[in-house]
Amino acid sequence: MKQQVPEHEVTKPNIIFEIIKKVNSNNKEWQENRALQERQQKITAKLSEKFPTRESLVDYLANYCLTRQREHVQFAKKKHFSAKKLSASTVAVGELFEKLVGAENDVFDIYSEINGIAKQEKSEEQRHREIVFIDVLTHPERHGFPTIEYFNIPDIPFIVTWQRDHLALKAVAEVKSGKHLDARAYQQLLPFGIRNSIKITLERLNSLKPEDARRRGLDGFGVGKEMYMLKNFDHLVVLCRDMNTDDKEELIERKGFSDPEEFYEFKKMLEGRHRESKVTLVKSSISRDELTAIFSSIVSDIVKKYKETSPQIR
């Protein structure tokens, strides 16, 4: 007999949505925006499919923080600098926002929405190939490839089927929960940032012979089943709903740039005027206040579990 999950443990969409409602109890604009409320209900419902209990969400975010810390330590050793302790709360809130945006994309297809095109329904095979592609990009060593710097990995890929067995990468998205976009975001959006990591991964996959692809567990990729990056490839930057995207200078965190020219190049990117890096700013359906409230309901448990599982890096 299937064991039932206790009622208080379930992350039903209405529980997360109730938090959102409470935050907006005095927000007349939100109260009158039924379309936004319905959209948020669908997003939280999709999130609860992936994390059916509160504990499952806490476990995921705590383990994610632990993985990030381990990756940072390994990277520090490789580059010969002292590793620092990562803030579990800072890392976890960013990942929570990414999962909320991912749920929004699963339901609405953000790329299709902003481009005014119909949402493309994907087959299970295509979804599987997307997952494998991201795994190769994120963890190339699992498939026998040299590691790519882990900070040059996109959060969400937008892939379409093109001409029989070929896949086309039309865009990727970076999800940013902070108040500002910093120098790290600038490095990611440069032509030699995430775009370069994607190009390297595509070259690796497209050069595989069928037997080599099978040996690496990469059926569906390789010679004859090449994957391409579209010429008008776009890089979406998804922000919280209440972010002011009109003032690009205010949006950028000035600290961390080694040269003033970098700041103005970044500004040009965000304005859509950069020749080599096409960037589109997108607002999600979740505000910073809503994200903070959702995160506040679980952060203490995340930090506690993180410390319990990683005593050596407290």
Side-chain angles (χ1 to χ4, degrees):
M1 183 176 179
K2 187 176 180 180
Q3 186 176 3
Q4 289 188 335
V5 179
E7 183 73 16
H8 69 280
E9 285 291 318
V10 179
T11 55
K12 290 181 179 178
N14 65 318
I15 293 178
I16 298 178
F17 186 66
E18 284 300 319
I19 296 174
I20 293 176
K21 283 177 65 177
K22 186 175 181 180
V23 172
N24 292 291
S25 59
N26 296 318
N27 186 334
K28 185 177 180 181
E29 182 180 354
W30 184 89
Q31 296 283 346
E32 295 176 349
N33 193 337
R34 292 297 303 167
L36 174 61
Q37 294 174 39
E38 291 173 4
R39 187 179 179 98
Q40 290 177 327
Q41 285 178 312
K42 291 179 180 179
I43 292 168
T44 53
K46 177 59 70 172
L47 184 69
S48 70
E49 291 178 10
K50 295 182 178 180
F51 304 104
T53 67
R54 181 181 185 279
E55 187 63 24
S56 65
L57 182 58
V58 168
D59 284 347
Y60 170 79
L61 292 173
N63 288 331
Y64 177 81
C65 292
L66 180 60
T67 299
R68 284 291 305 274
Q69 180 68 62
R70 287 172 175 166
E71 289 176 341
H72 173 69
V73 170
Q74 292 172 359
F75 185 69
K77 288 181 179 179
K78 180 180 177 181
K79 296 297 183 179
H80 307 292
F81 66 85
S82 298
K84 62 181 180 180
K85 296 178 182 178
L86 301 183
S87 168
S89 58
T90 300
V91 172
V93 72
E95 180 64 9
L96 173 61
F97 184 53
E98 183 179 326
K99 289 304 174 185
L100 284 163
V101 173
E104 182 169 6
N105 184 59
D106 287 343
V107 177
F108 298 102
D109 191 341
I110 295 172
Y111 179 87
S112 296
E113 276 195 328
I114 65 172
N115 285 282
I117 57 179
K119 177 182 177 181
Q120 182 189 42
E121 296 301 326
K122 300 177 182 179
S123 66
E124 287 301 315
E125 180 183 358
Q126 183 175 347
R127 290 183 183 277
H128 172 71
R129 291 174 73 183
E130 288 182 6
I131 292 171
V132 172
F133 169 74
I134 287 298
D135 194 56
V136 175
L137 182 64
T138 309
H139 302 288
E141 68 282 354
R142 293 178 181 174
H143 305 276
F145 297 117
T147 301
I148 301 175
E149 309 300 8
Y150 68 85
F151 52 80
N152 283 336
I153 298 168
D155 295 323
I156 301 174
F158 298 95
I159 302 173
V160 294
T161 301
W162 181 63
Q163 292 187 358
R164 298 186 296 278
D165 287 333
H166 299 293
L167 293 182
L169 184 65
K170 55 187 178 181
V172 294
E174 279 297 301
V175 180
K176 303 295 184 183
S177 61
K179 291 183 179 180
H180 302 281
L181 297 177
D182 57 15
R184 180 175 179 272
Y186 165 70
Q187 294 291 332
Q188 289 175 319
L189 296 173
L190 283 169
F192 56 77
I194 288 174
R195 282 174 172 81
N196 191 51
S197 297
I198 292 171
K199 288 179 181 178
I200 292 172
T201 301
L202 292 178
E203 289 171 359
R204 290 172 172 178
L205 289 172
N206 292 343
S207 65
L208 293 176
K209 295 180 179 179
E211 59 273 17
D212 193 14
R214 284 193 295 271
R215 180 177 59 81
R216 295 171 185 259
L218 297 173
D219 287 327
F221 294 93
V223 177
K225 297 183 178 181
E226 290 83 0
M227 185 173 179
Y228 303 99
M229 182 186 297
L230 297 184
K231 287 185 177 180
N232 60 344
F233 176 82
D234 197 359
H235 205 140
L236 311 185
V237 179
V238 185
L239 307 168
C240 288
R241 187 181 76 248
D242 50 349
M243 291 291 290
N244 178 10
T245 57
D246 295 328
D247 189 340
K248 303 301 187 294
E249 291 198 17
E250 179 64 25
L251 187 59
I252 300 173
E253 171 60 64
R254 290 178 177 268
K255 294 180 181 178
F257 291 94
S258 58
D259 189 300
E261 289 300 317
E262 292 182 346
F263 175 87
Y264 290 105
E265 182 180 25
F266 194 20
K267 181 173 179 285
K268 185 183 291 186
M269 286 182 190
L270 301 183
E271 292 172 342
R273 298 187 296 109
H274 197 281
R275 289 184 178 181
E276 298 179 79
S277 293
K278 182 183 178 184
V279 175
T280 302
L281 296 177
V282 181
K283 292 185 179 182
S284 74
S285 296
I286 305 297
S287 72
R288 281 183 57 80
D289 285 345
E290 292 161 356
L291 175 64
T292 299
I294 296 168
F295 187 62
S296 295
S297 70
I298 56 176
V299 61
S300 60
D301 289 339
I302 293 170
V303 173
K304 179 182 178 182
K305 195 168 191 68
Y306 169 71
K307 288 183 177 180
E308 288 174 350
T309 55
S310 57
Q312 74 280 10
I313 51 176
R314 286 179 182 174

